[in-house]
Amino acid sequence: MKVKKGDNILIISGKDKGRTGKIIKAMPKELKILVEGINLKKKHVRPKRDGEKGQIVEIPAALDISNVKIICPKCGKATRVGYLIENKEKYRICKKCKQKI
Ligand SMILES: [Zn+2]
């Protein structure tokens, strides 16, 4: 998977198109991510103890990674990720500025 937890991304489709956020969870098997503050869904939370009230919280729902572009921390542009093999290590690089990210 080309993105990982902690990456800043730009949403390129859907209702949150144009917004940016930070990945709080990556799910490589499903090719999905959770992004802080993006694609929020309301969820009812049941009271855990007697006397507590249930409440409605907004939590991020998973986004498909094809709906996002990574924002390069080096040049600040939304970009695609490339790979570079150097000394048998694999690095991600920004396709715009060619820096390791
Ligand atoms: Zn860059």
Side-chain angles (χ1 to χ4, degrees):
M1 191 138 104
K2 294 192 172 183
V3 296
K4 62 184 191 217
K5 185 178 172 181
D7 283 344
N8 281 303
I9 53 85
L10 170 71
I11 312 290
I12 55 170
S13 72
K15 70 181 168 79
D16 289 314
K17 184 177 176 180
R19 294 183 63 194
T20 59
K22 184 185 267 195
I23 297 178
I24 50 177
K25 191 179 179 190
M27 293 167 277
K29 273 188 197 155
E30 295 94 347
L31 295 177
K32 286 184 185 294
I33 51 171
L34 293 181
V35 182
E36 198 172 58
I38 300 287
N39 202 27
L40 296 177
K41 293 265 160 41
K42 286 194 169 70
K43 188 182 177 187
H44 294 262
V45 179
R46 289 172 187 279
K48 291 191 185 82
R49 278 175 249 124
D50 287 346
E52 268 184 6
K53 279 185 184 164
Q55 47 182 329
I56 297 170
V57 294
E58 289 196 317
I59 55 162
L63 282 172
D64 202 288
I65 60 163
S66 64
N67 292 336
V68 307
K69 266 188 168 178
I70 190 168
I71 296 172
C72 171
K74 300 280 166 60
C75 66
K77 291 178 182 152
T79 184
R80 286 185 297 139
V81 173
Y83 289 104
L84 171 73
I85 310 283
E86 199 177 82
N87 301 324
K88 293 179 184 167
E89 295 270 4
K90 193 169 165 189
Y91 297 97
R92 297 190 310 172
I93 57 164
C94 166
K95 287 212 172 169
K96 294 226 163 111
C97 67
K98 312 292 181 198
Q99 301 256 26
K100 289 175 193 168
I101 55 176

